[in-house]
């Protein structure tokens, strides 16, 4: 810096010497005019001083000298941009997939009559809880008991005939071919008895399993008819509808990108719209995607012994996915590259900025779990938006950077 000052001083002295030589003719002309001019003494001295002041100011404009400014520019050019970093830690993390779904009854069925008759008793109403085998309705007999008694009597008669004729056949009084005939008559009588008993059972409508009567479609005294779509709950033979709420299902739709992380039997946490939280497990994963949404149905089973949770309400499901090696980073550390890829910027030991693309594994409120960052990388968390790849920067710990501010 001392050498620069000396060179600048010599340039100024040389410029002033040349300027003085060029002013020599003008100086002689001024002396001649002075001898002839009435301005002498103090007035002339004032004019000379004013002229010298003008020359001094002009020399500053023509030959500027700012060594301090030049020094500041050089310092600024050599100064590196300072960034704050955090050292990352690669951990085994189990991400959670948050999905919105709805509750659904485990089983639904329409209770229908399997014969034509009139309802004489209707023993349930909407909302009743029933056990397997409980009678829901009773239909008119319409001579079915008489047919049953007749079938039983016929069976007894065929048995007696069978035993008597078999004795005669054994004694040789009847041909052996009659044995097949009387055996067939006995089996026909037993089949008629079984049919009569089944017809009697049809007039007593019972619950197929434990559940809740969700809807009553018929009234006492109503005539039920057999319809072609029998058993589908839309014919004239429907009596009631039942649902089973224990266990209860939570139905969610999972995208094809997240499906590989969902496993059968995996635990899940359910937050109901009422604020209640319950635990469940994954019971079913669809193997075929929906044609409209291209998502896969996943059923989560939860216990509901007291039937407090109804069918069809909204629920948020948090499913535990397969564990992955991931790094926890602040949300603000995520940036986009020039090509539009999501990632982070790290600084190497030599101060060089490097962009690393990442994939989001889990999303939390204040931070995110991402994959793709090596262990103990120096993640830029302060100033990452003001640097570019391959730039050399000054890296300091984020705590130190914050303290200096």
């Amino acid at each position: 810096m001392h050498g620069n000052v000396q060179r600048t001083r010599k340039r100024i002295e040389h410029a002033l010497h040349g300027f003085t030589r060029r002013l020599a003719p003008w100086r002689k002309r001024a002396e001649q005019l002075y001898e002839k001019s009435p301005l002498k003494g103090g007035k002339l001295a004032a004019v000379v001083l004013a002229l010298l002041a003008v020359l001094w100011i002009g020399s500053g404009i023509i030959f500027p000298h700012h060594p301090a400014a030049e020094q500041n520019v050089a310092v600024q050019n050599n100064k590196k941009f300072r960034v704050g970093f955090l050292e990352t830690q690669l951990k085994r993390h189990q991400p959670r997939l948050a999905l919105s779904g709805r509750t659904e009854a485990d089983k639904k069925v329409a209770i229908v009559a399997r014969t034509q008759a009139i309802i004489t008793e209707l023993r349930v109403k909407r909302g009743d809880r029933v056990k397997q085998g409980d009678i829901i309705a009773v239909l008119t007999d319409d001579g079915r008991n008489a047919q049953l008694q007749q079938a039983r009597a016929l069976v007894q008669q065929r048995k007696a005939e069978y035993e008597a004729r078999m004795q005669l056949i054994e004694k040789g009084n009847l041909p052996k071919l009659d044995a097949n005939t009387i055996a067939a008559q006995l089996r026909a009588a037993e089949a008629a008895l079984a049919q009569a008993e089944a017809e009697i059972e049809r007039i007593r409508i019972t619950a197929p399993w434990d559940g809740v009567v969700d809807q009553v479609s018929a009234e006492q005294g109503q005539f039920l008819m057999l319809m072609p779509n029998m058993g589908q709950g839309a014919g004239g033979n429907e009596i009631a509808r039942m649902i089973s709420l224990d266990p209860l299902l939570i139905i969610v739709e999972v995208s094809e990108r997240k499906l590989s992380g969902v496993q059968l039997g995996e635990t899940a946490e359910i937050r109901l719209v009422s604020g209640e939280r319950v635990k469940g497990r994954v019971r079913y994963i669809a193997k075929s995607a929906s044609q409209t949404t291209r998502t896969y149905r996943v059923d989560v089973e939860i216990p509901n012994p007291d039937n407090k949770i109804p069918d069809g309400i909204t629920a948020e499901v948090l499913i535990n996915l397969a564990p992955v090696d991931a790094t926890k980073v602040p949300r603000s550390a995520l940036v986009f590259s020039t090509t539009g890829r999501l990632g982070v910027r790290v600084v190497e030991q030599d101060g060089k900025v490097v962009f690393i693309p990442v994939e989001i594994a889990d999303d939390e409120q204040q931070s995110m779990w991402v994959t793709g960052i090596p262990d103990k990388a120096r993640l830029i968390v302060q100033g990452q938006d003001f640097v570019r790849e391959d730039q050399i920067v000054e890296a300091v710990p984020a705590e130190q950077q914050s303290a200096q501010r």
Side-chain angles (χ1 to χ4, degrees):
M1 185 178 71
H2 182 71
N4 293 334
V5 174
Q6 293 295 331
R7 286 194 295 272
T8 303
R9 181 179 296 175
K10 289 181 179 180
R11 287 200 300 269
I12 294 174
E13 291 177 354
H14 180 72
L16 290 176
H17 182 69
F19 184 70
T20 303
R21 286 203 310 263
R22 288 194 295 272
L23 289 179
W26 295 95
R27 180 180 177 182
K28 293 181 180 181
R29 180 61 178 168
E31 291 177 353
Q32 294 175 0
L33 292 175
Y34 174 76
E35 294 296 333
K36 298 179 181 181
S37 172
L39 296 176
K40 294 183 178 180
K43 294 182 180 179
L44 183 59
V47 172
V48 172
L49 289 175
L51 181 61
L52 291 175
V54 171
L55 293 175
W56 178 73
I57 295 172
S59 66
I61 296 175
I62 298 172
F63 306 103
H65 178 58
H66 303 289
E70 293 177 358
Q71 180 180 359
N72 292 336
V73 171
V75 170
Q76 290 179 0
N77 291 334
N78 295 328
K79 187 176 181 181
K80 299 176 183 178
F81 187 81
R82 177 175 294 180
V83 296
F85 70 88
L86 291 176
E87 190 174 80
T88 62
Q89 292 183 355
L90 194 63
K91 296 181 179 180
R92 194 68 174 172
H93 175 70
Q94 186 172 38
R96 306 179 76 184
L97 179 62
L99 299 167
S100 179
R102 70 185 188 283
T103 60
E104 185 175 291
D106 184 29
K107 291 181 285 188
K108 297 181 181 181
V109 68
I111 307 300
V112 297
R114 295 179 295 165
T115 185
Q116 293 190 150
I118 298 174
I119 300 176
T120 57
E121 293 182 49
L122 190 59
R123 299 186 182 182
V124 296
K125 60 182 182 297
R126 182 179 298 177
D128 286 352
R129 299 179 66 176
V130 295
K131 297 291 185 180
Q132 183 178 2
D134 288 352
I135 296 178
I136 293 176
V138 179
L139 308 181
T140 54
D141 180 86
D142 294 338
R144 290 180 176 83
N145 274 314
Q147 294 175 1
L148 178 61
Q149 296 301 325
Q150 182 180 0
R152 286 174 178 172
L154 182 60
V155 169
Q156 292 176 358
Q157 178 185 349
R158 295 303 184 190
K159 281 183 177 181
E161 292 178 354
Y162 177 79
E163 293 174 357
R165 292 188 179 186
M166 287 301 294
Q167 292 178 1
L168 293 174
I169 292 173
E170 291 176 357
K171 294 179 181 180
N173 297 326
L174 289 177
K176 292 183 178 181
L177 294 176
D178 289 351
N180 294 332
T181 303
I182 59 176
Q185 292 175 353
L186 176 58
R187 288 195 295 268
E190 291 174 345
L193 176 60
Q195 185 176 0
E197 290 174 346
E199 195 66 25
I200 287 294
E201 291 296 326
R202 290 176 181 174
I203 67 174
R204 288 190 297 269
I205 312 300
T206 59
W209 27 257
D210 298 352
V212 178
V213 178
D214 184 57
Q215 181 179 344
V216 177
S217 309
E219 298 291 343
Q220 185 174 348
Q222 181 177 337
F223 177 68
L224 302 178
M225 298 180 296
L226 294 179
M227 304 296 290
N229 54 353
M230 176 181 176
Q232 298 180 3
N237 58 338
E238 182 180 313
I239 299 174
R241 290 175 181 264
M242 278 184 57
I243 59 175
S244 175
L245 297 177
D246 185 29
L248 190 66
L249 299 181
I250 312 295
I251 310 301
V252 295
E253 299 289 336
V254 181
S255 66
E256 56 187 9
R257 296 185 62 184
K258 298 293 185 179
L259 186 65
S260 59
V262 182
Q263 300 176 356
L264 286 174
E266 192 63 68
T267 58
E269 180 181 350
I270 293 89
R271 291 200 293 257
L272 302 175
V273 69
S274 60
E276 185 180 359
R277 293 173 178 262
V278 293
K279 296 288 186 179
R281 65 177 184 87
V282 178
R283 193 178 81 173
Y284 169 75
I285 301 174
K287 299 301 180 182
S288 178
S290 170
Q291 295 296 327
T292 55
T293 61
R294 304 303 304 167
T295 55
Y296 294 80
R297 170 171 170 156
V298 174
D299 295 356
V300 179
E301 179 184 299
I302 61 174
N304 189 28
D306 52 1
N307 292 343
K308 285 199 314 182
I309 306 174
D311 175 26
I313 67 171
T314 303
E316 183 181 4
V317 181
L318 300 175
I319 302 177
N320 293 326
L321 302 179
V324 295
D325 293 329
T327 304
K328 188 176 182 180
V329 301
R331 283 179 172 270
S332 58
L334 296 176
V335 295
F336 286 97
S337 67
T338 55
T339 59
R341 295 194 64 182
L342 180 66
V344 295
R345 290 190 174 100
V346 299
V347 57
E348 297 181 343
Q349 295 298 329
D350 58 356
K352 184 178 179 180
V353 177
V354 177
F355 177 83
I356 299 179
V358 299
E359 294 288 340
I360 297 176
D362 199 4
D363 189 355
E364 297 180 354
Q365 291 184 352
Q366 301 297 330
S367 58
M368 303 189 77
W369 289 88
V370 299
T371 59
I373 304 177
D375 191 28
K376 298 187 180 304
R378 300 202 298 176
L379 175 68
I380 302 177
V381 295
Q382 294 176 353
Q384 66 275 9
D385 295 326
F386 303 100
V387 295
R388 64 184 184 277
E389 288 69 30
D390 300 331
Q391 181 179 347
I392 304 300
V393 297
E394 179 185 358
V396 297
E399 298 82 1
Q400 180 180 344
Q401 177 82 341
S402 301
Q404 291 178 357
R405 290 182 179 178

